[in-house]
């Protein structure tokens, strides 16, 4: 089935450098159009922190074919679909999902807003206020705030260590002219990729995209900035807030998104904290009753990566929960059983395969890989990489990446002392 899809998939590059990936899905009733751009916080100088996110907001305020924000939303929602965008550290993506017969509407709207935005000065000033409210919302959300604090303590002093949306100071001060100049630089056709999947005609999609972007000229985009881990001696970030729970997030340096050990480390992280049968869930929730939810995840970037464990607990139970969690991290280095490895392989593969039933997922799979790495691996290829992981691989990556001296910690809650938390970061 995947081989048939790969054969039907069309990949081409227009004369101006814009890449297009079109994948028809025989069973789909929808179509998703995703426009990926090499723009994100890792491309921003300190004085422009948050400009990628600001550009994203501005592109929804009107384009040549759809002059206002309401024109854009009505075009998509009037077809029964939805439209959204996301700015990340390494990319920005704009996407719309619509019923299959309305794919042309989605292509027209997404391409036009990315390629020919109006960039009205007054609308940009309104969006400054909206983004400031968005930043304030993070401050009022302990779950989001602890993630930002962990990123800061892991990558302090680099773009990876700050909020993707910037700071209130930077958002207020970014000039209109610099915002437009950033869009001109980063939103170059050779630095972008359009991924379309679902109930579509590849010939018609390619023809329409080429027609819409015929005047988009080649240009050079800025490269992303360097990233490095912060000092090991600065390992704890604590924010005192009057909350009912303390949000706790543990971090460890991981590896890059193309590292050959990423599949073994991914499975090891899933054993720790993915699902109700994971080690952390069974220990911290089921056995000790310390948290409603506890989980582990693996973040992979082109230049760095991180293993993260997060949970919300009663402030009086933070130390006990932290000790139990660190105990499970240490125990992982003792090895796992063949049954446990086989179970997590099935869980990981099953979720990946089931996710690819949706046109949005296929569009994202194709677009994200291709923009960031210049290659497109099939689901079957990735499945085989997971299946090839051995018990020895798990033991090796656990020993290499679960290191006491590399532990970082972020806590948001009503009490605590940095020095005390630092003393608890022990296996």
């Amino acid at each position: 089935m995947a081989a048939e899809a790969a054969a039907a998939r069309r990949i081409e590059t227009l004369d101006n450098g814009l890449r297009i990936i079109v994948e028809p899905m025989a069973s789909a009733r929808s179509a998703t159009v995703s426009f990926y751009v090499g723009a994100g916080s890792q491309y921003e100088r300190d004085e422009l922190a948050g400009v990628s996110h600001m550009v994203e907001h501005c592109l929804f305020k009107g384009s040549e074919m759809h002059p206002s924000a309401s024109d854009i939303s009505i075009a998509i929602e009037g077809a029964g679909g939805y439209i959204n965008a996301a700015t990340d550290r390494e990319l920005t993506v704009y996407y719309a999902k619509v019923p299959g017969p309305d794919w042309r509407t989605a292509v027209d709207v997404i391409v036009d807003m990315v390629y020919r935005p109006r960039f009205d000065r007054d609308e940009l000033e309104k969006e400054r206020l909206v983004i400031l409210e968005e930043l304030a919302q993070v401050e009022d959300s302990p779950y989001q705030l602890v993630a930002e604090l962990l990123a800061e303590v892991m990558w302090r002093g680099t773009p990876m260590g700050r909020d993707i949306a910037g700071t209130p100071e930077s958002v207020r001060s970014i000039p209109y002219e610099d915002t437009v100049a950033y869009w001109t630089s980063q939103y170059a056709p050779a630095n972008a990729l359009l991924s379309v999947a679902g109930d579509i005609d590849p010939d018609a999609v390619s023809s329409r995209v080429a027609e819409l972007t015929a005047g988009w000229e080649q240009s050079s985009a800025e490269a992303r900035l360097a990233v490095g881990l912060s000092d090991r001696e600065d390992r704890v970030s604590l924010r005192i807030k009057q909350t009912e729970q303390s949000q706790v997030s543990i971090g460890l340096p991981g590896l890059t998104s193309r590292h050959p050990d990423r599949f073994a480390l991914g499975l090891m992280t899933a054993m720790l904290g993915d699902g109700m049968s994971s080690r952390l869930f069974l220990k911290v929730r089921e056995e000790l009753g310390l948290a409603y939810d506890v989980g582990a995840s693996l973040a992979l970037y082109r230049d760095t990566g991180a293993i993260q464990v997060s949970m919300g607990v009663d402030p009086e139970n933070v130390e006990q929960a932290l000790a139990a969690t660190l105990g499970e991290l240490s125990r992982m280095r003792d090895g796992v059983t063949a049954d446990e490895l086989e179970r997590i392989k099935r869980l990981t593969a099953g979720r990946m395969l089931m996710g690819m039933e949706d046109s949005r997922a296929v569009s994202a799979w194709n677009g994200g890989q291709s923009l960031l790495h210049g290659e497109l691996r099939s689901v079957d290829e990735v499945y085989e990489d997971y299946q090839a992981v051995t018990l020895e691989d798990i033991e090796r990556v656990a020993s290499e990446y679960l290191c006491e001296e590399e532990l970082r910690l972020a806590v948001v809650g009503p009490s605590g002392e940095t020095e005390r938390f630092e003393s608890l970061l022990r296996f």
Side-chain angles (χ1 to χ4, degrees), residues 246-259:
S246 288
Q247 293 293 327
V248 180
S249 192
I250 300 168
L252 284 156
L255 40 73
T256 62
S257 54
R258 305 315 284 172
H259 195 289

Side-chain angles (χ1 to χ4, degrees), residues 16-17 19 36-40 42-45 52 90-91 180-193 216-225 302 371:
N16 59 14
R19 289 160 287 173
Y36 285 82
V37 182
Q42 201 177 336
Y43 294 85
E44 302 167 352
R45 304 187 306 275
S52 300
E90 296 182 313
L91 60 78
V180 177
Y182 181 84
W183 169 80
T184 302
S185 170
Q186 296 307 117
Y187 283 62
N191 194 40
L193 182 147
W216 200 359
E217 298 180 355
Q218 296 187 47
S219 59
S220 299
E222 296 293 327
R224 65 188 186 278
L225 302 178
R302 283 178 288 185
L371 180 82

